[in-house]
Amino acid sequence: MTNTHRRLVDAMIAEIIEQEGMAQELAEFADLMEEDGHHATADTLRAMSRGRRVKGMELRGNLAALRATGRETAEGSD
């Protein structure tokens, strides 16, 4: 794996962690808003949380494709 490839993988992993962490925080905040009777706000926060989770899944898919490409490239250079 080249340094450029490794940096890209590392950046994607960092972004996955960021997206999933934010999704968790939004979901927890939505629960608090729900308990306080702020149902519309809770719904909005849950929608935002789901969006972050979807982005995390997209990034995981892209990361898997990038890793597969890296393996194919490494195998092809043998």
Side-chain angles (χ1 to χ4, degrees), residues 10-68:
D10 290 345
M12 290 179 82
I13 291 169
E15 185 63 21
I16 290 166
I17 292 167
E18 176 70 26
Q19 292 295 325
E20 291 180 355
M22 183 58 73
Q24 182 64 35
E25 288 181 26
L26 287 165
E28 290 171 3
F29 195 51
D31 288 343
L32 293 174
M33 292 292 100
E34 186 81 31
E35 288 174 10
D36 288 343
H38 301 284
H39 303 290
T41 302
D43 290 344
T44 300
L45 291 170
R46 286 191 183 102
M48 292 170 62
S49 176
R50 283 190 296 273
R52 295 287 182 138
R53 292 202 190 280
V54 168
K55 182 65 177 173
M57 288 187 288
E58 289 172 350
L59 286 164
R60 285 179 182 273
N62 291 340
L63 181 61
L66 183 63
R67 285 182 169 164

